[in-house]
Amino acid sequence: MHNLVIDIGNTNSKLAVFKEKTLVDYQVLKQIVPADLLKLIKAYPILNATISSVGEDLQEVISVIKSNTNYIPFSTKINTGIKNNYQSLSTLGLDRWAKVIAANTCYTGKNCLMIDAGTCITYDLLNSESEYSGGSISLGVAMRFKALHHFTGRLPQVAWDRENIEIPAGTDTVSAIKNGVLQGIIHEVEGFISSYNEENKGLTVLLTGGDAAFLLEQLKNSIFAPQIIHDPYLVLKGLNEVIAFEYVQKN
């Protein structure tokens, strides 16, 4: 059985095809068009599909999926055995909930802190008893650079190459901005990890998102860091688990 899962974020969209639990195809696109979906659907014997999206205009994508697969609508009402203590389910991001579902399945019985370094940086804890009570939402790397330029009179818009993992010394204005933003993020992340690690024994930190590789490099020698796992497909794995759960429920 092949499943098509789609994660539409603020910056990029990710498409993945799973055969059972094995990832067999993965694509990152700026924007999904019907031709992209039809190409994947023709390439694999896809049976089911589901979507996580931060936006609302999905009619064209959903129409293609409904016409060619068994479409499974994803919402925070779908629960695979998690005690969800979040107070406003209607505003809980589907990508965050998909990560929680993935952690509950792939890292069963562990205290998991999920850090998603994307457009925003989100922190979510699922404890070893499968209890989820939410977390935190912070500004992402690019957003911080843009904010410094937008809300000041003279600070320039600074570009950052996420492939360059070195943090420069602040010897001029541009490098000072880079140093402040990047060091600030590392200290923030270390602070969250340290705090959660004190309260949750044997904490496993799951890093995902476009800037996760940068965080991983900076944190690998940190005294605050417990077990850290870079799992770039965490949201997609969660969506695949949703399909598996719903398929079992209906059959």
Side-chain angles (χ1 to χ4, degrees):
M1 180 177 71
H2 286 72
N3 299 325
L4 171 62
V5 298
I6 302 171
D7 173 27
I8 301 176
N10 289 297
T11 305
N12 293 314
S13 296
K14 281 77 70 177
L15 291 80
V17 177
F18 285 86
K19 183 179 181 181
E20 303 296 341
K21 291 181 179 291
T22 302
L23 181 67
V24 296
D25 202 322
Y26 173 68
Q27 299 179 21
V28 179
L29 304 171
K30 283 295 181 183
Q31 184 177 6
I32 298 176
V33 297
D36 298 321
L37 299 174
L38 292 172
K39 185 176 179 180
L40 275 178
I41 291 169
K42 289 179 180 179
Y44 299 95
I46 292 173
L47 179 61
N48 305 299
T50 194
I51 302 172
S52 165
S53 175
V54 298
E56 296 180 354
D57 187 14
L58 299 174
Q59 292 306 312
E60 190 174 38
V61 172
I62 291 175
S63 177
V64 172
I65 291 174
K66 279 186 173 180
S67 298
N68 295 275
T69 73
N70 172 39
Y71 171 58
I72 298 174
F74 177 48
S75 75
T76 53
K77 294 180 180 179
I78 295 179
N79 193 316
T80 59
I82 299 160
K83 184 178 180 181
N84 192 347
N85 298 317
Y86 205 76
Q87 296 299 303
S88 56
L89 287 182
S90 62
T91 61
L92 174 59
L94 292 180
D95 56 338
R96 293 176 68 192
W97 185 233
K99 288 191 288 281
V100 173
I101 290 172
N104 191 54
T105 303
C106 303
Y107 304 93
T108 306
K110 294 181 179 293
N111 290 313
C112 292
L113 174 62
M114 291 149 276
I115 303 177
D116 190 337
T119 303
C120 296
I121 301 176
T122 59
Y123 304 85
D124 291 283
L125 181 77
L126 179 74
N127 70 21
S128 59
E129 303 299 319
S130 295
E131 297 174 330
Y132 172 67
S133 299
S136 304
I137 302 173
S138 183
L139 283 77
V141 179
M143 196 181 296
R144 297 184 195 214
F145 282 122
K146 290 178 181 178
L148 279 174
H149 171 63
H150 180 76
F151 291 107
T152 61
R154 298 185 64 183
L155 292 180
Q157 174 67 62
V158 174
W160 176 65
D161 179 9
R162 65 170 54 158
E163 302 301 322
N164 183 1
I165 60 176
E166 297 297 326
I167 299 178
T171 56
D172 56 37
T173 300
V174 170
S175 64
I177 291 173
K178 288 183 179 180
N179 184 282
V181 168
L182 300 177
Q183 290 281 19
I185 286 174
I186 295 304
H187 289 309
E188 174 185 298
V189 171
E190 287 181 335
F192 272 105
I193 291 174
S194 178
S195 178
Y196 278 111
N197 195 36
E198 288 179 3
E199 301 171 1
N200 302 273
K201 294 181 179 179
L203 186 69
T204 296
V205 177
L206 305 176
L207 292 179
T208 193
D211 294 325
F214 167 75
L215 289 183
L216 183 67
E217 182 65 24
Q218 303 303 321
L219 293 171
K220 66 181 183 182
N221 296 318
S222 172
I223 62 173
F224 299 104
Q227 183 183 15
I228 297 180
I229 298 172
H230 181 202
D231 194 336
Y233 310 116
L234 199 59
V235 173
L236 301 171
K237 288 179 180 178
L239 294 174
N240 191 51
E241 291 299 330
V242 165
I243 290 177
F245 177 78
E246 289 293 285
Y247 187 81
V248 169
Q249 294 294 106
K250 294 177 180 179
N251 291 279

